[in-house]
Amino acid sequence: MRQLFHLPIDPACRKVRMLLSEKGLKCELRAEKIWERRDAFLRLNPAGEVPVLIEEDGTSIPGGQVITEYLEEVYPEPTLLGKNPIDRAEVRRVATWFDVKFQGEVTSNLVDEKIFKGFLGLGAPNASAIRAGHANIHYHLEYIGWLCDRRRWLAGDDVSLGDLAAAAQISAIDYLGDVPWSEHQGAKDWYARIKSRPSMRPILADFVSGKKPPPHYADLDF
Amino acid sequence: MRQLFHLPIDPACRKVRMLLSEKGLKCELRAEKIWERRDAFLRLNPAGEVPVLIEEDGTSIPGGQVITEYLEEVYPEPTLLGKNPIDRAEVRRVATWFDVKFQGEVTSNLVDEKIFKGFLGLGAPNASAIRAGHANIHYHLEYIGWLCDRRRWLAGDDVSLGDLAAAAQISAIDYLGDVPWSEHQGAKDWYARIKSRPSMRPILADFVSGKKPPPHYADLDF
């Protein structure tokens, strides 16, 4: 069967897991402790990062953005990118906003500090990074609300990779209990909608040892 | 005419400039001082970053990776991505290596510290970042040599976005005179080949005030 080397919580992996599910593609998950830098894994992806997709014929496709473009090309229906180049550019713009900008300004400061730093043996979380993550998330949640005032989903009237990329990031922060939902009703309404999709269910069942999510994490009525 | 908001030296912009040229697409360059955060520019790209492509009909396409995928879709010939999904995945993997990994490990530490930090008023370059950039570049130049021992170009037998992404990054470091060419013959041979392409010529004519490139920078026989 198709396999995905991944890490629970990691947003790039979550986005690919959701995309596979939205397209109805079955996939066996294999957790990869990337900090062990296994030789066999480095041969699959010299960058040493997850996610890496292995197709049934053994073809390996490494990296979140590479995998999403590949899956859209090989399994185009249903599309999560959109039907024409301009719509797809907008979907890619929104997805990149969350993959890169939200990841750098929020997720790196919260998830990497509170969870992955421990796995990597890099010491205690950095308090000023955590403060920055808490400060930066408001602007992104406001942007989600602003987009949803103008369209049904984040990148247009259909659910898209933009929503998957955003949900992948925000669900990782929500696992830590660090999303200030009560101050951002628009973002909360959007998250309630994406959270109820079947593709989110396995993600809401993720568990990282030593760190329990808050009670509302998997609750559709949070 | 088509326009590209850009910054000289910036690798994401250089990659798009080379791609436009390889596809024979004419484009007027407009330097955008992104640190001034002009309202009209933020309306084109809320992320406030270059590059942003404006098509003749006014359509705006923001972001290096979004623009490259858009240009491949709308102007597919000649392709710089490859002809089938597996080849394209390898091209995207190599391009992402340089767009993200090289950018984070080398370019941010050297170009951002030595050039962009001054524009942004963020103070003096950080000496430990510069040391890290100088240390990290060797591994990437070795990887270029390793790839070219196995294929004609970085991502296969044809020149591709992988080569453009790598040349965009390395030419920015070379502007600073910080590429240790004498220690990496394989990478040097590859760079001599990509440097002789007409799409590199305007990039080799870039100039940043207050910082002259070394004499070998635009020299095809360096």
Side-chain angles (χ1 to χ4, degrees):
Chain A
M1 207 212 277
R2 188 180 290 115
Q3 297 185 326
L4 186 75
F5 287 91
H6 86 126
L7 274 173
I9 314 299
D10 180 82
C13 299
R14 290 187 154 195
K15 186 183 72 170
V16 171
R17 289 160 67 192
M18 289 182 74
L19 181 59
L20 286 162
S21 171
E22 292 280 346
K23 287 183 176 290
L25 299 170
K26 287 218 159 56
C27 188
E28 183 189 324
L29 292 180
R30 295 186 55 175
E32 177 65 29
K33 296 173 180 168
I34 53 172
W35 49 93
E36 294 181 352
R37 298 185 64 76
R38 281 195 308 127
D39 281 346
F41 182 69
L42 291 172
R43 278 193 294 276
L44 296 175
N45 185 9
E49 290 160 8
V50 283
V52 176
L53 181 73
I54 313 291
E55 286 280 35
E56 294 204 20
D57 67 359
T59 305
S60 70
I61 311 285
Q65 290 190 348
V66 179
I67 297 170
T68 54
E69 294 289 343
Y70 168 84
L71 290 175
E72 276 288 326
E73 289 183 355
V74 178
Y75 311 99
E77 293 297 335
T79 180
L80 276 288
L81 258 181
K83 297 225 191 289
N84 68 64
I86 310 240
D87 289 349
R88 280 198 287 275
E90 177 61 1
V91 169
R92 289 189 181 107
R93 182 190 74 79
V94 172
T96 303
W97 181 288
F98 290 96
D99 287 345
V100 179
K101 198 171 168 66
F102 189 99
Q103 168 74 40
E105 297 175 359
V106 181
T107 309
S108 297
N109 286 321
L110 297 176
V111 177
D112 293 7
E113 289 293 329
K114 292 186 181 185
I115 295 183
F116 291 125
K117 216 169 169 180
F119 293 153
L120 295 165
L122 292 175
N126 177 319
S128 75
I130 289 174
R131 267 197 306 278
H134 285 303
N136 292 340
I137 195 171
H138 291 285
Y139 156 67
H140 291 280
L141 295 171
E142 270 170 42
Y143 189 46
I144 288 174
W146 187 89
L147 289 170
C148 288
D149 280 347
R150 282 151 183 84
R151 332 157 147 178
R152 196 165 141 63
W153 293 95
L154 295 187
D157 286 331
D158 297 313
V159 72
S160 77
L161 258 179
D163 300 283
L164 272 45
Q169 295 285 341
I170 285 171
S171 63
I173 309 296
D174 202 35
Y175 187 93
L176 300 171
D178 283 346
V179 183
W181 291 120
S182 64
E183 300 170 53
H184 298 280
Q185 191 61 45
K188 188 176 173 181
D189 291 345
W190 164 81
Y191 193 60
R193 283 190 286 134
I194 192 93
K195 203 173 177 179
S196 69
R197 293 181 82 83
S199 63
M200 275 288 279
R201 238 172 260 154
I203 279 156
L204 299 175
D206 269 356
F207 183 72
V208 174
S209 69
K211 186 92 198 162
K212 263 175 68 176
H216 77 260
Y217 172 69
D219 191 346
L220 294 186
D221 185 20
F222 55 108
Chain B
M1 206 212 278
R2 189 180 291 113
Q3 297 185 327
L4 186 74
F5 287 92
H6 86 126
L7 274 174
I9 316 298
D10 180 81
C13 299
R14 289 186 155 196
K15 187 182 73 170
V16 171
R17 290 160 67 192
M18 288 182 74
L19 181 59
L20 286 162
S21 169
E22 292 281 345
K23 288 183 176 291
L25 299 169
K26 287 218 161 58
C27 188
E28 185 191 322
L29 292 180
R30 295 186 55 176
E32 177 66 30
K33 296 174 182 167
I34 53 173
W35 49 93
E36 294 180 352
R37 298 187 63 76
R38 280 196 308 127
D39 281 345
F41 182 68
L42 291 173
R43 278 193 293 276
L44 296 176
N45 185 10
E49 290 159 7
V50 283
V52 176
L53 181 73
I54 312 292
E55 287 279 36
E56 293 203 21
D57 67 0
T59 304
S60 70
I61 312 285
Q65 290 190 349
V66 179
I67 297 171
T68 54
E69 294 290 342
Y70 168 84
L71 290 174
E72 276 289 326
E73 288 183 355
V74 178
Y75 310 100
E77 293 297 334
T79 179
L80 275 287
L81 258 181
K83 298 227 191 289
N84 68 64
I86 310 242
D87 290 350
R88 281 197 287 273
E90 177 62 1
V91 168
R92 289 188 180 108
R93 182 190 75 79
V94 172
T96 304
W97 181 288
F98 290 95
D99 287 345
V100 179
K101 197 171 169 64
F102 189 99
Q103 168 74 39
E105 297 175 0
V106 181
T107 309
S108 297
N109 286 320
L110 297 176
V111 177
D112 293 6
E113 289 293 329
K114 292 186 180 185
I115 296 183
F116 291 124
K117 215 167 168 180
F119 292 152
L120 295 165
L122 292 175
N126 177 319
S128 74
I130 288 174
R131 266 196 309 277
H134 284 304
N136 293 339
I137 195 171
H138 291 284
Y139 156 68
H140 291 280
L141 295 171
E142 270 169 43
Y143 190 46
I144 288 174
W146 187 90
L147 288 170
C148 288
D149 280 345
R150 281 150 184 85
R151 337 158 140 174
R152 196 166 140 63
W153 293 95
L154 295 187
D157 286 332
D158 297 313
V159 72
S160 76
L161 258 179
D163 300 284
L164 271 47
Q169 295 285 342
I170 286 172
S171 63
I173 310 295
D174 202 36
Y175 187 94
L176 300 171
D178 282 345
V179 183
W181 290 120
S182 65
E183 300 169 53
H184 298 280
Q185 191 60 46
K188 188 175 174 181
D189 291 345
W190 164 82
Y191 193 61
R193 283 191 286 135
I194 192 92
K195 203 174 178 178
S196 69
R197 293 182 83 84
S199 63
M200 275 287 279
R201 237 171 262 155
I203 278 156
L204 299 174
D206 268 356
F207 184 71
V208 173
S209 69
K211 186 91 198 164
K212 262 175 68 175
H216 76 261
Y217 173 70
D219 192 345
L220 294 187
D221 184 20
F222 57 107

